[in-house]
């Protein structure tokens, strides 16, 4: 009877040693996978830092080239100031002898240039776009 128990004990130890070896294999894979994930995360963080550094350098170079000391805001667009053309043209054309023609020309110029010079006559230097518009006959378009 002791021979049988020894035989069972040997087969039990053999099967336990196989289980221990097979259990050791997935743990090693999990450790390698964890290291791989950490390396990927580190590389991603490094790429983000490098990209932000490149953007800062580019904006500083653009600001230095333009001579500006302020931080350059690339995403802002220039939007002209909102002007009420009908009100501005009423003021401009109030002393005109041909009010309808003055209003029509003034509104066209105002919509294109987003400005109307002050006063009822002259002062076109205040709005260069307004002063530069011409008719087909090369006469000043804007009153």
């Amino acid at each position: 009877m002791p021979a049988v128990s020894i035989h069972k004990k040997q087969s039990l130890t053999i099967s336990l040693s196989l289980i221990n070896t097979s259990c050791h294999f997935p743990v090693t894979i999990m450790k390698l996978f964890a290291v791989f994930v950490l390396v990927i995360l580190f590389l991603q963080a490094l790429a983000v830092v490098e990209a932000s550094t490149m953007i800062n350098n580019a904006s500083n170079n653009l600001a230095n080239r333009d001579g500006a000391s302020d931080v350059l805001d690339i995403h802002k667009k220039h939007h002209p100031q909102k002007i009420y053309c009908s009100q501005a043209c009423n003021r401009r054309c109030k002393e005109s002898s041909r009010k309808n023609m003055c209003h029509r020309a003034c509104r066209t110029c105002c919509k294109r240039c987003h400005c109307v010079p002050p006063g009822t006559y002259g002062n076109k230097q205040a709005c260069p776009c307004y002063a530069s518009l011409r008719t087909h006959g090369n006469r000043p378009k804007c009153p």
Side-chain angles (χ1 to χ4, degrees):
M1 194 93 162
V4 174
S5 66
I6 292 173
H7 185 288
K8 285 183 182 180
K9 191 175 185 182
Q10 284 178 346
S11 66
L12 186 64
T13 56
I14 291 172
S15 63
L16 284 176
S17 66
L18 286 176
I19 291 172
N20 285 341
T21 334
S22 63
C23 284
H24 207 50
F25 182 69
V27 171
T28 307
I29 290 177
M30 291 300 287
K31 286 181 181 178
L32 286 175
F33 181 72
V35 169
F36 177 73
V37 168
L38 289 174
V39 167
I40 293 294
L41 290 174
F42 176 74
L43 290 175
Q44 185 178 9
L46 187 64
V48 168
V49 168
E50 185 176 339
S52 67
T53 303
M54 288 174 51
I55 289 172
N56 287 339
N57 288 342
S59 66
N60 287 340
N61 288 341
L62 286 174
N64 290 339
R65 183 173 32 166
D66 292 339
S69 61
D70 296 327
V71 175
L72 183 64
D73 190 6
I74 296 172
H75 302 293
K76 277 191 174 178
K77 289 185 176 180
H78 174 71
H79 296 288
Q81 183 179 0
K82 182 72 173 173
I83 185 170
Y84 297 104
C85 291
S86 61
Q87 187 179 20
C89 288
N90 281 338
R91 178 184 39 82
R92 182 78 174 169
C93 297
K94 72 181 175 185
E95 293 180 8
S96 173
S97 61
R98 301 178 71 187
K99 290 191 189 309
N100 288 338
M101 192 171 76
C102 182
H103 278 288
R104 187 176 65 232
C106 182
R107 280 194 300 265
T108 302
C109 296
C110 180
K111 286 179 183 176
R112 288 185 190 170
C113 298
H114 301 286
C115 69
V116 174
T120 57
Y121 184 79
N123 302 322
K124 290 188 178 183
Q125 70 276 7
C127 187
C129 171
Y130 192 92
S132 67
L133 292 178
R134 300 282 180 180
T135 62
H136 290 292
N138 202 27
R139 292 174 47 193
K141 179 178 184 69
C142 308

